[in-house]
Amino acid sequence: MKTMLLSRAVSKPGWWIFGIAMLAAAWWGQPLVDSAHFENHFFGVFWYSMIVLGLMFWVMPAEQYTDGTILERRIMLLGLVPVWKKSELVSAFEQVELTQEPNVFGKDSVWLSLINSEDGEISRRFVFAYFPASQRGIAKAQQMAGDLSQISGLPFAQAAAEV
């Protein structure tokens, strides 16, 4: 039996919280549409167009998959039906890497990637997953990086620093 590794946006609480927040915002904006004032209708159209835009991103979460030979990124309709996918061979990459990137707001991000470098410069990168740079997030990232390294047969390059 072949081992596989999957990173799904719909398995993260933030995806569900965003969806609930969009539904609450849609419900909260009802008085803009039901009003007798023309100005409120204008703001209602703007309000609901922003909600529709947010929901368009929400209904198309991404997931990354590998079985050790291929890497696949899929955009899924509500996390169920594949709409778009891109595949690459694992052999096109040299190592698994964790990098920590500072964010302007909130905690930093830790990115789990497969990379290929030429002359010391990264020439290709396939981002497999990201995590908040908390102690718990870094521990999850390091665990997934180890699993990805084991499944792919690629060396694990570096670990993100603890924050």
Side-chain angles (χ1 to χ4, degrees), residues 79-146:
L80 301 171
V81 180
V83 175
W84 176 85
K85 69 179 177 178
K86 178 183 177 185
S87 299
E88 295 193 42
L89 293 174
V90 171
S91 61
F93 298 93
E94 295 175 347
Q95 59 190 5
V96 175
E97 179 185 64
L98 278 180
T99 54
Q100 185 168 337
E101 179 181 357
N103 288 335
V104 176
F105 300 105
K107 293 191 180 301
D108 293 351
S109 297
V110 176
W111 298 88
L112 173 57
S113 309
L114 287 93
I115 61 169
N116 189 13
S117 57
E118 294 175 11
D119 301 326
E121 296 289 323
I122 296 174
S123 60
R124 288 182 72 179
R125 178 183 305 266
F126 185 94
V127 175
F128 195 80
Y130 70 94
F131 302 89
S134 62
Q135 288 183 354
R136 184 173 163 209
I138 291 172
K140 284 182 180 180
Q142 289 174 335
Q143 174 66 42
M144 186 175 274

Side-chain angles (χ1 to χ4, degrees), residues 14-51:
W15 188 79
W16 292 98
I17 291 169
F18 184 80
I20 292 168
M22 287 287 97
L23 292 175
W27 180 78
W28 185 78
Q30 286 178 348
L32 294 172
V33 178
D34 292 339
S35 173
H37 299 288
F38 178 72
E39 299 87 20
N40 287 354
H41 290 283
F42 171 77
F43 291 120
V45 168
F46 176 76
W47 181 260
Y48 282 103
S49 64
M50 292 297 105
I51 290 173

Side-chain angles (χ1 to χ4, degrees), residues 140-152:
K140 284 182 180 180
Q142 289 174 335
Q143 174 66 42
M144 186 175 274
D147 293 345
L148 184 57
S149 176
Q150 183 179 11
I151 290 170
S152 67

